[in-house]
Amino acid sequence: MNNKLTLENIQQFDLDEFQEISGENIFACYQCGNCSAGCPAADFMDLAPHEVIRLLQLGQIDEVVKTNTVWICAACVTCRVRCPKGVDLSKIMEAVRQIVLRKKNNYVDLNKIESELREKLPQIALVGNFRKFTL
Ligand code: SF4
Ligand code: SF4
């Protein structure tokens, strides 16, 4: 990411689409950090939850997608309970995942799984992988 954020280098993404998918207002967040302080998965994340929302406020969704955070989030909603503004980060993380999925950039490529193994795998595992491990 650029070291300096200016009006010129702030990337625009479709905020209306994002708000529609997530149902959340990312600008309600005032960066108190309560969500990250209570997140049980924060130690395993490249970006803390409050950093994700700050980058989104700045239009930097591409930077968020480069990290593992939205894929590590366990949707436990601890952050939602702790947030003084009622922001539900689990929905925001899911919205980022959905936007990536809609671009069809699949990390799991069915064609690369041996056919014998593919037939044995439970379908729900494949569906789960598409949702969770799509980069
Ligand atoms: S707890 Fe809520 S207001 Fe505070 S940083 Fe997290 S999302 Fe923002
Ligand atoms: S929903 Fe995700 S971001 Fe929020 S506390 Fe749970 S693991 Fe952390």
Side-chain angles (χ1 to χ4, degrees):
M1 183 168 70
N2 290 325
N3 289 331
K4 290 182 185 171
L5 282 172
T6 65
L7 278 180
E8 287 72 35
N9 71 22
I10 286 180
Q11 300 160 14
Q12 298 297 318
F13 68 105
D14 191 339
L15 191 57
D16 289 341
E17 180 193 24
F18 189 84
Q19 310 247 91
E20 190 182 322
I21 296 171
S22 69
E24 294 295 305
N25 174 14
I26 57 174
F27 294 101
C29 168
Y30 64 170
Q31 289 290 288
C32 69
N34 271 355
C35 49
S36 299
C39 173
D43 284 350
F44 305 98
M45 294 171 169
D46 297 332
L47 281 175
H50 76 286
E51 294 173 320
V52 166
I53 200 162
R54 185 62 182 138
L55 281 174
L56 292 172
Q57 288 172 337
L58 295 169
Q60 305 290 303
I61 193 169
D62 291 346
E63 297 302 322
V64 172
V65 168
K66 286 179 194 167
T67 72
N68 69 359
T69 298
V70 300
W71 313 104
I72 293 284
C73 170
C76 68
V77 299
T78 303
C79 49
R80 164 73 179 83
V81 173
R82 293 174 61 91
C83 178
K85 299 300 293 291
V87 177
D88 189 340
L89 260 157
S90 69
K91 289 183 181 168
I92 289 169
M93 302 282 191
E94 172 65 8
V96 175
R97 291 195 293 265
Q98 286 295 327
I99 284 171
V100 175
L101 284 164
R102 288 174 190 195
K103 289 183 180 169
K104 298 191 167 73
N105 296 327
N106 287 327
Y107 177 73
V108 178
D109 184 349
L110 270 183
N111 295 321
K112 290 185 179 162
I113 301 175
E114 288 175 24
S115 58
E116 209 170 287
L117 177 61
R118 202 164 55 212
E119 281 165 22
K120 286 183 190 162
L121 285 171
Q123 288 187 357
I124 191 68
L126 288 172
V127 172
N129 271 280
F130 282 127
R131 285 182 59 78
K132 193 71 180 172
F133 296 113
T134 298
L135 293 174

